[in-house]
Amino acid sequence: MTVGVRLDEAAWGLLHQALDLYRANSRAVGQLRHQVARLEEPLRIAVAGPWRSGKSTVLNALMGEEVAPVEGADGAFTWYEDGAAPRATAYPVGQPAQELTVVKSATGMRVDLGWGAGEVRDIVVQWPTRALRQVTLIDTPALTGAGERGRVSVMDRVLRDADAVLFLTRDGRDSDLRVLESGRESAVGQAAPVNVIMVLSRADETGGGRIDGLLTARQLARRHYRDPRVGALAVNVVACSGSVGLAGRMLSESDFGALAVLAGVPRAELEAHLLSADRFCRGDLPVRMDPDLRAALLDRFGLFGIRLATTLVRSGFDNRVKLSAELIRRSGLTELREAVTRCFIDRRDTLKARSALAAVETLVRAEPVRGSEELVGTIEQILAGAHEFRELRLLVALRHTRLGFDAELAAEAQRLIGGDGVGLAARLGVEHEATVQRLWEVAADAQGRWRDRAEDPILPLAQRRGAEVVVRSCEGMLAELAAGGR
């Protein structure tokens, strides 16, 4: 909740200060102007992770259509943005841009690089969908080893070009955490580690593919969420099976009919045919089912998805709509989309401003000139004083230690500083239809109570400083209400 100078305004001023300082450097001027333009563009969210972490599947699940990956573009960054009509453009290194053929299908589209253009750095895909109205999604190359196409170069570019990152990992292993730690080496990275959601993206494989594997994955996500090392790197941790979520979003009547037929087979008998893909596709099922249909179900759902869907049909999810909704819920996709909205989209101005600060810091560290020390000082002042970053740092602290507050006070503090949503009603814990008078009364009451804590000399210093952040958030809400906001 902004108090005083808005963070995005401070970032805009910093960029123009840098433009004036580097006006004789045409390359630097181009970079800085690009950053100024980014402040007005949709939020950029990169989907990053190691090989076979399910990046394209999660991206498709978020959009509800099969649009990724672009065939033959393993080493390229693929940008998915809103557009009036389907269109794809490749940008090969050292060559002119090339328009690619887009083939629409019943479930989305297919784009094939399909030509020998040398190394392709970027592909921009325009696709008309509501999911891309406020964001641009970036499908990135796999993070593998160090080297030209390895972990270091890819992650460096992700951190430079994206405002926020969905970092996909199978289980949050140490090697994956080290990749994220590389983004904390700068002053901005250390002061504002707020632009990453960690996604346990192969949640359906947790627990050896058992039917309760998704529940086990959620429990693992909660443990990671409480881990201080993870808290310093990611603002949230979510378990999500992209394949189950996508299957749920795209479930057709014919898919449901086939699953219902399979659900009619006694569980133990069907289970014997779900031990391997070969058994399911080639074995003698106790019901008649075309081999092509079996292959299509396996491709869409996987063995775990078929096992889960047939179990749900037997449990009463006996039509397409019911089954679709339950698959989406169980997959973790709803939780992931809510986390993206709450942590990224609702805070898009803060995240884009963070990107601007990081870009200026990178420039002045790499190409110092006379007067660049002043820019570094301005960056440090913004990082220390920006209330938006103080809120996010307090959220991390409350998540792990509660600063000594009891559970009820910690929950209230988290809500007031935007942990449950940045809208006034969400922060104040009232109904969305609440009147301005009601919002004012609740905000003023919270401000008074938390000011008492901030000024109480008996409380530990950490609690008083945390209470000061909450008070400033309440002041910002009251200022917004006085200006006519809701």
Side-chain angles (χ1 to χ4, degrees):
M1 182 59 61
T2 301
V3 178
V5 178
R6 288 171 55 94
L7 178 58
D8 54 350
E9 292 174 353
W12 189 91
L14 176 71
L15 287 169
H16 283 79
Q17 185 181 348
L19 278 167
D20 182 61
L21 186 63
Y22 283 87
R23 58 185 178 275
N25 184 332
S26 59
R27 187 183 56 79
V29 167
Q31 293 176 356
L32 292 167
R33 286 178 175 167
H34 175 66
Q35 290 297 327
V36 172
R38 278 180 61 175
L39 292 175
E40 302 299 325
E41 294 175 355
L43 185 74
R44 299 177 173 187
I45 302 176
V47 183
W51 185 65
R52 293 189 64 81
S53 58
K55 298 186 302 297
S56 297
T57 304
V58 168
L59 189 147
N60 286 334
L62 288 169
M63 291 205 288
E65 297 174 284
E66 292 182 317
V67 297
V70 173
E71 296 297 327
D74 294 341
F77 278 59
T78 304
W79 304 64
Y80 293 90
E81 58 186 37
D82 189 29
R87 182 181 180 185
T89 308
Y91 294 86
V93 176
Q95 297 186 39
Q98 298 282 341
E99 293 296 317
L100 304 179
T101 300
V102 176
V103 180
K104 296 182 67 176
S105 69
T107 58
M109 69 172 173
R110 181 177 179 274
V111 179
D112 193 336
L113 201 55
W115 43 271
E119 181 183 359
V120 174
R121 179 177 175 81
D122 293 282
I123 298 171
V124 176
V125 177
Q126 293 183 335
W127 184 251
T129 174
R130 287 193 306 171
L132 297 174
R133 298 286 164 78
Q134 294 179 302
V135 302
T136 294
L137 294 175
I138 310 170
D139 195 3
T140 65
L143 303 174
T144 53
E148 183 180 0
R149 288 191 183 278
R151 171 174 295 171
V152 175
S153 60
V154 171
M155 197 62 194
D156 283 350
R157 189 176 172 201
V158 166
L159 296 172
R160 184 189 72 215
D161 288 354
D163 302 308
V165 181
L166 291 177
F167 185 81
L168 274 52
T169 172
R170 285 177 177 265
D171 50 18
R173 62 191 61 184
D174 185 72
S175 59
D176 291 340
L177 295 183
R178 287 199 299 270
V179 175
L180 287 178
E181 286 172 338
S182 68
R184 297 201 65 202
E185 296 172 356
S186 65
V188 173
Q190 292 176 16
V194 298
N195 67 331
V196 174
I197 293 175
M198 180 185 289
V199 183
L200 306 185
S201 57
R202 304 300 289 263
D204 51 300
E205 298 176 4
T206 305
R210 295 194 309 269
I211 201 70
D212 61 350
L214 295 176
L215 177 60
T216 303
R218 285 195 182 92
Q219 294 170 342
L220 178 61
R222 284 194 290 270
R223 288 201 295 272
H224 280 307
Y225 182 81
R226 295 190 294 265
D227 183 342
R229 183 185 179 191
V230 175
L233 302 171
V235 73
N236 206 342
V237 183
V238 178
C240 177
S241 168
S243 60
V244 173
L246 179 61
R249 293 197 71 178
M250 302 187 65
L251 183 68
S252 66
E253 289 291 353
S254 60
D255 288 337
F256 175 79
L259 291 168
V261 169
L262 292 174
V265 178
R267 182 170 183 169
E269 190 174 352
L270 178 62
E271 191 64 32
H273 294 275
L274 294 176
L275 294 176
S276 71
D278 187 66
R279 282 196 182 191
F280 181 72
C281 288
R282 300 175 185 273
D284 295 326
L285 286 175
V287 292
R288 293 188 59 183
M289 185 168 288
D290 184 81
D292 289 341
L293 178 55
R294 298 189 205 183
L297 284 176
L298 185 65
D299 180 63
R300 178 72 55 81
F301 289 83
L303 291 173
F304 175 86
I306 295 172
R307 186 178 295 116
L308 174 61
T310 52
T311 299
L312 291 174
V313 172
R314 295 189 196 104
S315 302
F317 298 91
D318 52 2
N319 62 50
R320 186 192 65 81
V321 174
K322 288 182 182 179
L323 181 60
S324 172
E326 186 64 8
L327 286 171
I328 293 169
R329 187 189 71 81
R330 293 202 178 212
S331 72
L333 180 60
T334 299
E335 184 180 353
L336 177 59
R337 294 174 72 188
E338 290 173 350
V340 168
T341 298
R342 185 173 65 251
C343 300
F344 291 167
I345 297 176
D346 287 350
R347 297 185 183 271
R348 56 190 175 276
D349 290 340
T350 297
L351 293 172
K352 286 189 285 186
R354 181 192 185 281
S355 295
L357 297 181
V360 174
E361 182 188 5
T362 299
L363 176 61
V364 298
R365 302 289 188 196
E367 302 180 46
V369 297
R370 180 175 296 179
S372 57
E373 297 86 355
E374 184 178 347
L375 278 179
V376 173
T378 302
I379 293 171
E380 292 173 347
Q381 290 176 359
I382 294 173
L383 289 172
H387 184 61
E388 293 89 340
F389 290 150
R390 296 181 70 194
E391 283 188 331
L392 290 163
R393 288 194 291 271
L394 179 56
L395 279 173
V396 173
L398 289 170
R399 182 165 123 193
H400 300 299
T401 69
R402 298 202 312 231
L403 300 180
F405 292 126
D406 63 37
E408 185 177 350
L409 281 177
E412 183 187 19
Q414 176 175 306
R415 173 170 49 76
L416 288 169
I417 62 176
D420 298 338
V422 298
L424 287 176
R427 285 177 181 262
L428 294 171
V430 300
E431 60 279 4
H432 288 284
E433 299 79 14
T435 65
V436 172
Q437 180 64 29
R438 169 68 173 156
L439 294 169
W440 182 279
E441 290 172 353
V442 176
D445 175 68
Q447 179 195 36
R449 288 186 290 103
W450 283 93
R451 178 177 286 125
D452 289 343
R453 293 185 179 90
E455 297 173 353
D456 188 343
I458 298 178
L459 292 178
L461 179 61
Q463 288 192 20
R464 282 184 277 137
R465 287 182 173 172
E468 288 172 358
V469 176
V470 178
V471 170
R472 288 194 65 189
S473 295
C474 293
E475 291 172 349
M477 286 186 273
L478 291 170
E480 185 175 342
L481 288 166
R486 278 194 56 116

